Amino acid sequence: MNADREPNRLPLRAGAMMLFAVAVVFIGLGWHSAATSGSDPQTETTATATSTPTAATPSSTSAAASAKRVCVINAGQVSGLASDVTDLLKEKGYTMAQPGNYTAGGFSENTVFYDEDSDKAQADQLADALGGTVSVEERPSSFTRCRGGLPVIVVTAVSGS
């Protein structure tokens, strides 16, 4: 190699800087996506409020016909649990919203929340439809998901009897 001539490293540096800039942009987009997804439960509920019921079985037609929309929310560690329970309740004729996840913690058992005393009967029917041990409680004011509907918080698998 000629001692009088230093190799030009500009293209290598420019390429490295370009890759670094692209990585920063993708990290920023990923952070923004993670920070904004599911952060507004009101928007999520409004978007899913137009969900339509599927064909009901004859035994559940009258129970589900005047029923409020049901939101199944996975608060446990079982992946896909909310989706499975949503499918189970659709088969039983309930009007369903899109399933969701709840990561704030605080639930240790499957629970159905209701808002008014008139909703308690449907909440009890939901608990029976899920089978197993399902608690039915009045919705705490701090729980804002699924306004206008009945939230079903699932932590463990249900029997669906």
Side-chain angles (χ1 to χ4, degrees):
M1 190 159 124
N2 188 352
D4 294 334
R5 189 169 172 188
E6 183 177 327
N8 188 356
R9 296 181 189 239
L10 184 60
L12 181 61
R13 287 183 189 157
M17 291 305 291
M18 181 59 89
L19 287 175
F20 180 73
V22 169
V24 168
V25 168
F26 280 112
I27 289 171
L29 288 173
W31 177 83
H32 176 71
S33 175
T36 58
S37 67
S39 65
D40 187 4
Q42 197 66 340
T43 303
E44 180 180 279
T45 303
T46 304
T48 60
T50 58
S51 179
T52 57
T54 57
T57 58
S59 63
S60 65
T61 303
S62 60
S66 63
K68 284 188 164 187
R69 173 179 55 91
V70 178
C71 308
V72 180
I73 303 164
N74 184 354
Q77 300 297 319
V78 181
S79 179
L81 181 59
S83 180
D84 292 344
V85 173
T86 297
D87 292 343
L88 172 77
L89 292 174
K90 272 184 187 176
E91 290 174 6
K92 294 187 179 212
Y94 288 95
T95 302
M96 303 301 300
Q98 292 293 320
N101 292 316
Y102 186 77
T103 57
F107 293 102
S108 59
E109 63 182 343
N110 297 335
T111 307
V112 178
F113 286 135
Y114 63 92
D115 289 316
E116 304 167 4
D117 288 336
S118 60
D119 297 336
K120 187 170 184 336
Q122 184 183 353
D124 288 333
Q125 287 176 348
L126 273 169
D128 290 342
L130 293 171
T133 304
V134 180
S135 176
V136 176
E137 300 176 11
E138 188 170 354
R139 180 200 308 255
S141 61
S142 61
F143 191 81
T144 59
R145 304 272 302 259
C146 192
R147 287 287 180 200
L150 294 173
V152 175
I153 311 302
V154 289
V155 178
T156 60
V158 296
S159 64
S161 59

